Amino acid sequence: MTTTTNTTMPPDLPPQVAMMQMLGGLRVARLIYAAAELGIADLLADGSKSIDELAQATDTHAPSLYRLMRSLASVGIFSEYERCFSLTPLAEFLQSDTPDSVRAAVKFFGQDWHWNVWENLHYSVQTGKPAFEHLYKQGLFEYYQDPEVARVSSESKASISQRAAHSLLANYDFSSMHKVVDIGIYASASTIVALLQANPTLQGVLFDFPSAIAAATPAIESAQIGDRAQLVGGNCLDAVPSGGDAYILMFVVHNWDDDRAVQLLKNCREAMTADGKLLIVEMIMPPGNAPFVGKLIDLESLLTTPGGYERTEAQYRSLLEAAGFKVTRIIPTQTANSIIEAVRA
């Protein structure tokens, strides 16, 4: 599920009061993370429970847990009645198994290493360099080679990309294609699984860093798509698997500066069939002051990636032209993402 947070000033409040409410956002984020880690929403799936029942199930201090739950209820996550709590429409998406669950994404973004990066936003703003490398003395993708980090990232990407994958299928026809190559960067198997399940004659390749492939393998094996999915490990800046009718780059291009993004796109151009399609799924930055989740994701790229950023339509067109492509159409979707279709120029 793609959600946005309206960070404009709440109506009918003095500006200084509105500003203090906005500052509370960091506290709310930590509350949500705590609830996700404790699995509170799963415990309430069958109905309301008292704070003592929740504390016993989570091995927590009941009075302190009550203070946490009371605060979450005040922002619409859970509902309280006489010290008993139940799910709300927001809280339902913190359940592990509900469609479009965001629990894995919440747990990923709440990791201490990730939180520490945002605490160093000032460094990236001052220098233009990733705070991640400043803190950890290595790049994000090197850090992700740790199997546990790769697992948490893969679970988060599955949560985030599942709806994007369904939106891709709802807005793009793959029925005439024979082979699709899904290029990820510590992504999940969600996209390739959805494509192959929806198109029974389609062959698919999931290409990603080797540790990401290892993390995604169980999902492929349990998807009941037979031998139509091939898993390939490698580095997309070196080369990508050949022979695809379509190359999907979902939330990939925004991770790189222009030079490396062009190299990636050139690798796809070299590998694809003569009439192949390139499909970039990304948020396209709009003009103006309106709230847009891509503006916050853009800062995520500033903090963590080697020069990545969210691009405007004009910037994507320029990037693709430099790699030898021409844009054939841009398809808006029901999410904040768009599908940019391009072919060899």
Side-chain angles (χ1 to χ4, degrees):
M1 181 180 66
T2 300
T3 60
T4 60
T5 300
N6 191 333
T7 56
T8 58
M9 186 178 71
D12 304 322
L13 287 177
Q16 66 272 31
V17 176
M19 180 67 76
M20 293 305 297
Q21 285 197 3
M22 291 181 183
L23 285 174
L26 65 91
R27 299 181 180 91
V28 173
R30 295 308 286 181
L31 296 176
I32 297 170
Y33 172 68
E37 279 287 339
L38 292 170
I40 298 291
D42 286 345
L43 295 173
L44 298 176
D46 296 328
S48 174
K49 286 185 171 58
S50 71
I51 195 65
D52 291 329
E53 290 175 305
L54 291 173
Q56 182 176 5
T58 57
D59 192 25
T60 55
H61 181 240
S64 299
L65 181 63
Y66 174 75
R67 292 162 73 176
L68 170 71
M69 295 297 294
R70 177 178 62 186
S71 295
L72 285 165
S74 75
V75 293
I77 304 172
F78 306 112
S79 176
E80 179 193 4
Y81 179 72
E82 295 183 349
R83 296 180 68 84
C84 291
F85 290 89
S86 57
L87 294 173
T88 61
L90 279 175
E92 288 178 2
F93 291 99
L94 286 176
Q95 295 178 94
S96 300
D97 298 328
T98 193
D100 289 340
S101 169
V102 299
R103 185 187 179 197
V106 169
K107 292 174 68 175
F108 172 79
F109 286 114
Q111 296 289 305
D112 286 342
W113 66 262
H114 188 269
W115 193 257
N116 292 340
V117 172
W118 273 90
E119 288 180 341
N120 283 267
L121 174 62
H122 62 280
Y123 170 83
S124 290
V125 172
Q126 287 177 330
T127 66
K129 298 177 181 179
F132 188 96
E133 293 183 8
H134 174 67
L135 283 173
Y136 300 112
K137 312 307 178 188
Q138 61 180 317
L140 178 69
F141 304 131
E142 288 78 18
Y143 191 83
Y144 276 12
Q145 291 179 26
D146 178 277
E148 178 61 17
V149 175
R151 181 191 65 79
V152 174
S153 174
S154 183
E155 290 178 356
S156 171
K157 291 291 181 67
S159 171
I160 294 169
S161 64
Q162 186 174 35
R163 187 166 188 237
H166 292 157
S167 180
L168 174 64
L169 282 167
N171 290 278
Y172 199 89
D173 182 10
F174 292 89
S175 61
S176 64
M177 295 183 179
H178 303 288
K179 180 180 177 180
V180 172
V181 180
D182 178 19
I183 299 172
I185 296 182
Y186 286 99
S188 72
S190 296
T191 301
I192 201 69
V193 166
L195 283 169
L196 298 187
Q197 287 178 336
N199 298 274
T201 63
L202 190 63
Q203 299 287 321
V205 179
L206 177 61
F207 180 77
D208 210 325
F209 291 114
S211 54
I213 290 296
T217 297
I220 293 288
E221 292 177 344
S222 64
Q224 298 182 339
I225 49 181
D227 59 357
R228 292 188 293 126
Q230 181 184 5
L231 304 179
V232 181
N235 187 329
C236 61
L237 295 182
D238 296 331
V240 300
S242 62
D245 301 302
Y247 283 73
I248 300 173
L249 297 168
M250 181 179 290
F251 313 141
V252 172
V253 179
H254 73 174
N255 289 291
W256 304 112
D257 59 26
D258 287 351
D259 288 342
R260 279 175 277 202
V262 167
Q263 183 58 55
L264 165 60
L265 297 175
K266 285 182 176 179
N267 290 343
C268 294
R269 187 181 187 280
E270 182 177 343
M272 67 174 45
T273 58
D275 57 350
K277 301 288 195 303
L278 180 72
L279 303 176
I280 296 175
V281 181
E282 294 279 9
M283 298 179 188
I284 297 178
M285 292 288 278
N289 298 320
F292 182 63
V293 67
K295 295 176 182 178
L296 297 177
I297 301 301
D298 179 60
L299 291 173
E300 180 83 17
S301 296
L302 170 66
L303 288 165
T304 61
T305 69
Y309 64 102
E310 302 298 328
R311 293 171 169 89
T312 64
E313 178 180 335
Q315 288 170 326
Y316 273 113
R317 288 182 180 275
S318 177
L319 196 71
L320 286 159
E321 182 180 354
F325 285 97
K326 64 178 180 180
V327 175
T328 46
R329 53 178 170 155
I330 297 178
I331 308 168
T333 73
Q334 299 84 350
T335 70
N337 310 308
S338 296
I339 305 166
I340 304 171
E341 180 194 70
V343 297
R344 282 192 175 110

